[in-house]
């Protein structure tokens, strides 16, 4: 009889967030496939789980490790797949082995638990009836800028991850694209220095400590722009010294209004 592949969510910071079911599943597993065996050993030690065979499974050895895991499952071994923290396959390794197991008709059982994206969304106060999880923003500036341009115009809440090394540059880009965009950052969720910041990118830049895990939430453009009058934006851009052309372009980006409509309003304001 084939074994079962368990996708086990682990704490993203506070160890008390592990579930009783996760502890029980880890204790009963024959093998634990871990993104980082050293970190997983620390987790197992914290809950007195001993004598487990650990194998390494991460983004650099996914293909080979997936084949090994499938072979163990076919031998009847029950395997737990864990990432460094949170839910495996959610911006973490695991997709390849789950896909392969499904193709081989091997039973896959998720053991739910912590997820930084869901934790941030649930505590943000942003609309959550519809949302998009983007995952990690692109590392290269050009692609990241293109992604941000698309994200800030979406009509639902968007949740994304960003590195502390790139967060300041990302916030500056958001400000340049849409200085009025409402966003939030959850930093170090469930950890000692957990912090929640909300406002425009410029406002957050003044207060943010660029350290630790970052989750960015973007307020829905549809709900946001309903509250913003184009005249207010045009006057603001005029005061900032922007040209009529620049003011029209940015106002269109923020409000989603047609260029001709905004241009007519801009002519009156810039003529004053």
């Amino acid at each position: 009889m084939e074994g079962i592949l368990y996708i086990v969510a682990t704490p993203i910071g506070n160890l008390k967030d592990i579930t009783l079911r996760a502890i029980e599943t880890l204790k009963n597993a024959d093998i634990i496939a871990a993104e980082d065996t050293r970190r997983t050993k620390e987790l197992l030690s914290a809950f007195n789980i001993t004598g487990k065979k650990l194998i390494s499974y991460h983004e650099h050895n996914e293909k080979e490790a997936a084949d090994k895991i499938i072979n163990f499952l076919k031998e009847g071994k029950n395997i737990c797949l864990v990432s460094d923290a949170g839910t495996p396959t959610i911006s973490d390794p695991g997709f390849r082995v789950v896909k392969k197991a499904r193709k081989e008709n091997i039973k896959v059982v998720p053991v739910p638990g912590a997820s930084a994206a869901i934790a941030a969304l649930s505590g943000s106060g942003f609309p959550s009836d519809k949302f998009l999880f983007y995952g990690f923003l692109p590392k290269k500036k050009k692609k990241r800028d293109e992604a941000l341009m698309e994200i800030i115009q979406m009509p639902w809440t968007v949740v994304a991850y960003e590195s502390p090394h790139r967060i300041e540059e990302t916030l500056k880009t958001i400000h340049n694209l849409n200085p009025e965009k409402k966003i939030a950052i959850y930093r170090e969720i469930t950890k000692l220095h957990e912090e929640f910041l909300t406002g425009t990118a410029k406002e957050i830049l003044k207060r943010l400590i660029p350290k630790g895990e970052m989750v960015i939430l973007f307020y829905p453009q549809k709900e946001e722009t309903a509250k913003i009058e184009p005249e207010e934006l045009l006057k603001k851009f005029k005061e900032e010294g922007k040209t009529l052309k620049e003011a029209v372009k940015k106002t269109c980006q923020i409000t989603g209004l047609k260029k001709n409509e905004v241009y007519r309003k801009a002519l009156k304001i810039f003529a004053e």
Side-chain angles (χ1 to χ4, degrees), residues 103-153:
K103 189 175 181 180
E104 297 282 348
N105 291 316
I106 293 170
K107 188 174 183 180
V108 179
V109 177
V111 180
S115 169
I118 298 301
L121 180 64
S122 68
S124 67
F126 282 25
S128 56
D129 54 332
K130 294 178 184 177
F131 68 93
L132 171 73
F133 174 61
Y134 190 91
F136 279 99
L137 292 169
K139 293 181 180 179
K140 294 186 177 179
K141 187 180 187 307
K142 184 179 179 182
K143 289 189 175 181
R144 186 168 66 251
D145 290 356
E146 290 172 353
L148 288 169
M149 172 64 81
E150 182 182 10
I151 287 170
I152 64 173
Q153 298 183 65

Side-chain angles (χ1 to χ4, degrees), residues 2 19 28 52 64 144 172 204 227 231-232 235 238:
E2 293 175 337
T19 67
N28 293 333
K52 294 298 170 185
E64 298 78 10
R144 186 168 66 251
K172 288 175 183 177
I204 290 175
K227 303 172 186 177
E231 291 86 355
E232 292 179 14
K235 288 177 182 177
K238 180 185 177 183

